[in-house]
Amino acid sequence: MTVMEQRGAYRPTPPPAWQPRTDPAPLLPDARPYRVLGTEAAGRTDPDLLLRLYRQLVTGRRFNAQATALTKQGRLAVYPSSTGQEACEVTAAAVLEEHDWLFPSYRDTLAVVSRGVDPVRALTLLRGDWHTGYDPHEHRVAPLSTPLATQLPHAVGLAHAARLKGDDVVALALVGDGGTSEGDFHEALNFAAVWQAPVVFLVQNNGFAISVPLAKQTAAPSLAHKAVGYGMPGRLVDGNDAAAVHEVLAGAVRRAREGGGPTLVEAVTYRVEAHTNADDAGRYRSESEVETWRAHDPIVLLEEELTHRGLLDEATRTAARDAAEAMAADLRARMNADPALHPLDLFAHVHARPTAQLREQAEQLRAELEAEAEGAGR
Amino acid sequence: MTVMEQRGAYRPTPPPAWQPRTDPAPLLPDARPYRVLGTEAAGRTDPDLLLRLYRQLVTGRRFNAQATALTKQGRLAVYPSSTGQEACEVTAAAVLEEHDWLFPSYRDTLAVVSRGVDPVRALTLLRGDWHTGYDPHEHRVAPLSTPLATQLPHAVGLAHAARLKGDDVVALALVGDGGTSEGDFHEALNFAAVWQAPVVFLVQNNGFAISVPLAKQTAAPSLAHKAVGYGMPGRLVDGNDAAAVHEVLAGAVRRAREGGGPTLVEAVTYRVEAHTNADDAGRYRSESEVETWRAHDPIVLLEEELTHRGLLDEATRTAARDAAEAMAADLRARMNADPALHPLDLFAHVHARPTAQLREQAEQLRAELEAEAEGAGR
Amino acid sequence: MTTVAARPATMAQALTRALRDAMAADPTVHVMGEDVGTLGGVFRITDGLAAEFGEDRCTDTPLAEAGILGAAVGMAMYGLRPVVEMQFDAFAYPSFEQLVSHVAKMRNRTRGAMPMPLTVRIPYGGGIGGVEHHSDSSEAYYMATPGLHVYTPATVADAYGMLRAAIASDDPVVFLEPKRLYWSKDTWDPEDPPAVEPAGRAVVRRRGSSATLLTYGPSLPVCMEAAEAAREEGWDLEVVDLRSLVPFDDETVCASVRRTGRAVVVHESTGFGGPGGEIAARVTERCFHHLEAPVLRVAGFDVPYPPPMLERHHLPGVDRILDAVGRLQWEAEN
Amino acid sequence: MTTVAARPATMAQALTRALRDAMAADPTVHVMGEDVGTLGGVFRITDGLAAEFGEDRCTDTPLAEAGILGAAVGMAMYGLRPVVEMQFDAFAYPSFEQLVSHVAKMRNRTRGAMPMPLTVRIPYGGGIGGVEHHSDSSEAYYMATPGLHVYTPATVADAYGMLRAAIASDDPVVFLEPKRLYWSKDTWDPEDPPAVEPAGRAVVRRRGSSATLLTYGPSLPVCMEAAEAAREEGWDLEVVDLRSLVPFDDETVCASVRRTGRAVVVHESTGFGGPGGEIAARVTERCFHHLEAPVLRVAGFDVPYPPPMLERHHLPGVDRILDAVGRLQWEAEN
Ligand SMILES: Cc1ncc(C[n+]2csc(CCOP(=O)(O)OP(=O)(O)O)c2C)c(N)n1
Ligand SMILES: Cc1ncc(C[n+]2csc(CCOP(=O)(O)OP(=O)(O)O)c2C)c(N)n1
Ligand SMILES: [Mg+2]
Ligand SMILES: [Mg+2]
């Protein structure tokens, strides 16, 4: 009797019903980054939106250049530029409603500014006069987060809290490719999926974490593929294609708003400049690699599309450029002054009310400052 | 002119070459847990292996029962039983070569014992006389790890170190379903994949993290689906089917040994007893749910297969039972004695050489103990 | 609420009652952590809360402490008052970055715009026969982190009052619960809870004139016992329960030490780098000319917390406290 | 090695040289961390190591500090001597659980069978105009963790010698590198490195008779400057560089304080709960009858580290040190 024949008579104990908790198929990202500009999909785009994004990209690029220049003039302690990534930065702000929240990472000053925060205030951290220069509640922008990926659970918690309260709030959280390796990334995505929190995670995969290229960061097919492990959809998009980023992010935000839960979006882009003004990118990558990406510049891509559609005349270009220059001039002027500093602020916000010890320490500093002033007065 | 017609003449800037870093398709787990016993695949199994596993399961079950009994007698501080999960526990040890390493989680005393560690030594942690009772190098078993998931990066580091040295070592690391939510799980899997370290991660998904059911732990299609996000294969297996677990783990170990890199295996099983002897499982799950799983018991499954194939006679059963009883009797006897304690060991291994301060403190304790002994002697 | 007993009540019951009352009084109070919902926590402190207030108010989270605390930070940003339970002291460590870099600093970072009115409850300390990682005294880490408040009750009534105060605080509070006092009983009546008083003050638990024992949490009962035993030796010891390690009540502490002229700090935490150094140093700075002897410390040894069968040798006990009191240079007085 | 300059050398160069020599001397030494390979680290301390020893010996890891340290633990289990670089002080916090629960405890847990001969290099402290999270002084956390050694060099020669000693140590060492001294220069000759001496000893950097400044790392140069300035006020200050916070060199420290009768502890770390409490307390315990005044502390304020434009108000400077010396009750002497 063969084993096969035996099977007929044999009724093994059935396993308890087992079901995949969600169907994995729709969670998987496309095989290649989604593009709109220069593809058939571009025909569906709203010309006004494209023009608006164009103006913002031009201003954004200028902002990055101006901020980098300010480091050279000693007006900023450091600036991590998002040049080349402006399509992600401005779009992250553009897809949100006023009552939504943005959770930026340390590189995302441009997204913060695009959301309406006064550039001078947005740059406070990098200028060095205080850690955060704006009231997060005013524009619903969390502080720029320096410890990588730590802002992601904050976004989840805030979105969850808003949903519990019945408020219409979506949180969009930004993180870099390097940040996806941190445990906090994992924990945040898991919480978001379990709680079905209205959060969108946008990973700007700009190819590097300082000097470390993506290949040393992950062996995943794409970062968007991480989504399936949390039971949320992963979307892969060309991060230099502003229209594509807009469509994908807007869709994810809509989904979150409608109760569909979180989405992980990976935008494939490139950090065209060095990590910060203090970094020497020549130590870890070739100029020719950078050149490839300069050719795929988000502004150029959009200009080509707009030009092709006859939407970009010289007047529009000039207006965009002028607006950017005006922003830069204003920023330059306002940053070209020493901020008013209050040394006793050191003690003002450590606790709701200073402890007796902090009051003593503040008194000590006050006395020192007075002595200093007297000494200077003499 | 329509947009479509325009496309013809328009050559948008091409994106830089983008390739998924690995093909995701082969990384995805099967849609349902892989089974062998009671399926056609059972015909391929080695009868000797099945019989060996059978004997180990019977002994393992008895070990769990005996250890739980020892808590009632006050001989163990606590015991987290792996009853119902013995197929995973004994197989995790069975698939390894002598020079491989096992990284157990706190519930895996049975895996440690199955690897050859003296049960009394394996139980030292839970008895409470020292944190680890065995020399990890002797059987290449890391200490039972209580902080969940923290042992996973250790396994990766060890496997990586061995590979750098050119040694033939595979590390098999155990973790629970709850442990997969920790950041360390994420970081370990990512490091393993980037380094292509010879590690196998076995998640025993036993349905609960203490009281928290899997549905509150993750929204993923399965825990095995997390693998794709790291670029390693995910395998889903019926954790109560010893033959299936053996086949899948042995395959993953082989792959790792041959330089194919890490694998994530999710074994779907069930914690039949309470979290520990101190837990009251009735507070969070129904007896009927437990009953469903008792019917899918790993020993019963294997007995059915063996019986059906005519491999299990009464003598074999009796021999297995007798061996288990002998193990239990020996364990009972040897645990039924107060371990020799050396209070000054508190200071012996904090550093390679005790600091001056620790020497002082040891002297203080020695004096106290002497005074105590004198007092008792009086 | 089914578990609140009539008097006498345990510290565990008082804590449960505090959570319940805080949740009833303020809909923004949310309890979250591992096993806090259906199970009511491994120490049953959150027992009944999910049933009474729903799982959205008392939530079983995934098993990830950084995620729990990080999510709580986000919830606090939105105006909630999260009360996080860490299952054991050593299992709070994964959330250390969230605690130090965000919880402690968010208010300061935003010039007060984003306060962090959250409470992190951590069962701490040893003496319960716990296996490794279940008996750490981690208060030194939290004391060294500006921006946090650190409370630890030692009595049933304080467990209630201080937990209410912690939850009501607009600042983040690390609330350290001495595990081995969970089942300590007192005649405090849970049905008639005391008014919530602002924490931050130490209290003299026993008046005495010979020397002051400065202690907190799990070591308070040991010090009370030592003070009783000291009478035989002719010492009349004062015992101060610090209650709040941050803010530190220099006033009460120094008043006592100035009165007695001698002090011993007693805690379970390791001596080197532990809380006792700070306490002894600041008392000495402030009371130097009143001191007849250096402020001594009785603490856990400078070793990783021992396994259950050896912990009695590690924990400060009555004898070790009396030995230290004996070393307070009594001859020098004459 | 292309970056090691002729004398005088910077502390950064001495550290690089120490790593290089350690790697050359012992094939089990592996350097790992974020950006340590191709880039040579953000402070260039690992510059040239990947080129000389290959990427398997000096490895750019994924961006995950717990993973880095956890993997290093596993590598140490297999007999390697990992040297981990944390990029900045505050970015070591994600690895806190691995450090406290494993690195510090593994040897003890296994009765010596599994030592952890690994080094965790952490650039620490402020004064470099760093934005938030780039200037923390986190030594109190590590001092409070039994099982770790904690070293911090203050001179170029010590940077070399102590890092070699840390790597050679069979115990885990948290090696705190004062960032603002990275570019400090000394005539130490990298081509003729001093013999590696066992760390764990303090050293008197300046002899004096009036009072002792107890300090370490970034505050040593400030104290030396203060000692010079004090001469104008008629004080002849002794300066002790602690070098090793764990183990602590009570002998050298107490010998100095007994000689001078007065002491001030100086460090950047916040005062409350910071290292100074332990230091002051243990000095007082041991030298009480030699003290003319309480041991005072000059430390960072009890606030989160300030933004660059305000840090000068936070950091202990010469004036604040002299003020403290002035409060050492000089009248009482007469
Ligand atoms: C927890 C933590 N570790 C390390 C750092 C130091 N650091 C700052 S930026 C950076 C690289 C970030 O790379 P990525 O996430 O890809 O963002 P990108 O800089 O490309 O925008 C590192 C390692 C940090 N800020 N936080
Ligand atoms: C870091 C950490 N957090 C919390 C705990 C407390 N704890 C012990 S077991 C357990 C549940 C573990 O669940 P799972 O990972 O599924 O393993 P199982 O118990 O089912 O084997 C928890 C929360 C711990 N040991 N470590
Ligand atoms: Mg990047
Ligand atoms: Mg489980």
Side-chain angles (χ1 to χ4, degrees), chain C residues 93-94 96-97 100 109 132-133 136 141 144-146 245 270-273 277-278 282 285 288-289 293-294 297 329, chain D residues 93-94 96-97 100 105 109 132-133 141 144-146 245 270-273 277-278 282 285 288-289 293-294 297 329:
Chain C
Y93 301 153
F96 196 70
E97 181 187 32
V100 171
R109 175 177 302 147
E132 209 193 348
H133 309 286
D136 279 17
Y141 301 136
T145 306
L245 297 173
T270 52
F272 189 88
E278 175 61 42
R282 60 192 305 113
E285 284 161 7
F288 187 68
H289 291 292
R297 295 179 281 168
Q329 309 185 357
Chain D
Y93 301 153
F96 196 70
E97 181 188 32
V100 172
K105 299 195 172 106
R109 175 178 303 146
E132 209 192 348
H133 308 287
Y141 301 137
T145 305
L245 297 173
T270 53
F272 189 88
E278 175 62 41
R282 60 193 305 114
E285 285 162 5
F288 188 67
H289 291 292
R297 293 179 282 169
Q329 311 185 357

Side-chain angles (χ1 to χ4, degrees), chain A residues 135-377:
Chain A
D135 178 346
H137 294 285
E138 200 178 323
H139 294 273
R140 285 148 308 281
V141 178
L144 289 153
S145 179
T146 301
L148 299 168
T150 56
Q151 71 279 13
L152 305 180
H154 304 171
V156 175
L158 182 136
H160 177 62
R163 201 172 68 119
L164 289 182
K165 236 188 128 186
D167 294 350
D168 172 18
V169 171
V170 174
L172 192 156
L174 302 175
V175 68
D177 47 313
T180 66
S181 295
E182 289 281 4
D184 276 17
F185 171 87
H186 176 70
E187 301 188 13
L189 267 74
N190 190 42
F191 273 64
V194 169
W195 286 351
Q196 287 290 293
V199 197
V200 177
F201 301 98
L202 172 58
V203 179
Q204 292 187 56
N205 169 5
N206 64 3
F208 289 90
I210 309 186
S211 70
V212 179
L214 193 68
K216 288 186 185 175
Q217 199 65 250
T218 181
S222 79
L223 296 170
H225 276 87
K226 293 183 183 289
V228 64
Y230 305 102
M232 69 175 76
R235 295 290 168 250
L236 187 61
V237 62
D238 182 335
N240 288 11
D241 178 335
V245 177
H246 193 280
E247 184 184 324
V248 169
L249 281 185
V253 168
R254 195 180 321 116
R255 183 186 159 94
R257 200 180 303 291
E258 288 166 0
T263 302
L264 172 65
V265 179
E266 175 188 355
V268 181
T269 178
Y270 195 79
R271 196 194 73 213
V272 169
E273 299 196 355
H275 164 59
T276 67
N277 52 297
D279 176 43
D280 173 9
R283 292 177 76 103
Y284 52 82
R285 69 185 189 187
S286 68
E287 199 36 49
S288 70
E289 180 182 308
V290 183
E291 277 315 310
T292 330
W293 280 92
R294 276 193 210 278
H296 192 62
D297 185 274
I299 300 186
V300 172
L301 287 185
L302 192 47
E303 275 177 345
E304 284 176 350
E305 178 74 34
L306 289 170
T307 307
H308 176 68
R309 301 226 333 235
L311 294 167
L312 192 63
D313 54 19
E314 203 44 43
T316 313
R317 273 180 200 268
T318 310
R321 219 179 296 122
D322 289 352
E325 285 306 327
M327 176 281 302
D330 175 64
L331 181 58
R332 231 171 16 241
R334 291 166 61 217
M335 292 293 285
N336 195 21
D338 291 331
L341 289 177
H342 308 282
L344 291 173
D345 277 5
L346 287 183
F347 307 98
H349 304 292
V350 182
H351 303 290
R353 274 172 307 279
T355 58
Q357 290 78 12
L358 284 177
R359 285 196 305 271
E360 276 171 31
Q361 293 171 26
E363 269 321 305
Q364 182 194 337
L365 180 57
R366 188 196 308 277
E368 287 177 10
L369 293 169
E370 277 167 13
E372 209 178 290
E374 269 173 41

Side-chain angles (χ1 to χ4, degrees), chain B residues 96-120:
Chain B
L96 295 181
E97 300 287 334
E98 206 185 314
H99 43 273
D100 293 334
W101 272 80
L102 181 73
F103 283 79
S105 184
Y106 79 106
R107 191 179 296 287
D108 305 312
T109 311
L110 178 53
V112 172
V113 168
S114 303
R115 180 110 175 104
V117 174
D118 173 0
V120 174

Side-chain angles (χ1 to χ4, degrees), chain A residues 36-47:
Chain A
V36 167
L37 299 178
T39 76
E40 315 252 320
R44 294 196 308 263
T45 53
D46 170 9

